[in-house]
Amino acid sequence: MRLRPPRNTPDERAVAWWRTQWLLVTAVPVVVLAVLGGLLEPARTWLLAGAGALAAVGLVCAAFFPRWWFRVHRWEVTDEAVYVRTGFFRQEWRIAPMSRIQTVDTVRGPLEQAFRLATVTVTTASAKGAVTLTGLDHRLAADLAERLTLITRDTPGDAT
């Protein structure tokens, strides 16, 4: 097996999904700070300034990081292994040989369902943990889980 960069990207809708996650995670503390700023007059200036700064950082992150993640996340499934590459400055390659795969799970949280996306989690015998393919079209994820199940069923186990 020759190591090469995985070929597939997440679905384009993953960018909007990641952006929405950033905005929701940022919105909760911003709202809390803004409400407290409205109620606590002695600390109003600092609380509202903090809410504004946090909102600005959240908006910048929501605009920048999802597009960047889309550019650096790659995945591929072959008859021999599942490959995942993430990261830019600190790249992480995860390779799960078919003979080491124990379970294949498909997860669709409420937000993923709204964007018609899914996450496929491939659990292996590795101490490092599962290999995760995020931001996949939900139909592709279901097909991929079925394909992985068939391939691993027909792959002899690794004795190492």
Side-chain angles (χ1 to χ4, degrees), residues 43-154:
R44 179 170 292 148
T45 303
W46 294 107
L47 290 169
L48 293 179
L54 185 57
V57 169
L59 289 172
V60 168
C61 289
F64 176 72
F65 285 116
R67 182 55 60 187
W68 188 11
W69 292 335
F70 181 79
R71 281 188 239 138
V72 298
H73 280 66
R74 294 287 181 272
W75 66 273
E76 186 168 354
V77 173
T78 66
D79 289 339
E80 293 82 31
V82 177
Y83 300 84
V84 176
R85 185 190 74 196
T86 59
F88 181 76
F89 294 113
R90 182 181 171 273
Q91 284 191 354
E92 181 177 6
W93 288 61
R94 299 288 312 273
I95 302 165
M98 291 300 173
S99 62
R100 304 293 286 174
I101 294 175
Q102 295 176 333
T103 61
V104 178
D105 301 306
T106 304
V107 177
R108 295 185 69 209
L111 203 52
E112 282 177 298
Q113 289 180 43
F115 285 97
R116 299 184 326 273
L117 296 171
T119 297
V120 174
T121 303
V122 178
T123 307
T124 66
S126 167
K128 179 73 173 171
V131 174
T132 305
L133 299 104
T134 59
L136 304 179
D137 175 81
H138 68 99
R139 289 181 303 261
L140 173 64
D143 292 345
L144 190 59
E146 182 178 346
R147 178 178 172 218
L148 285 170
T149 301
L150 294 174
I151 291 172
T152 57
R153 180 193 69 199
D154 297 336

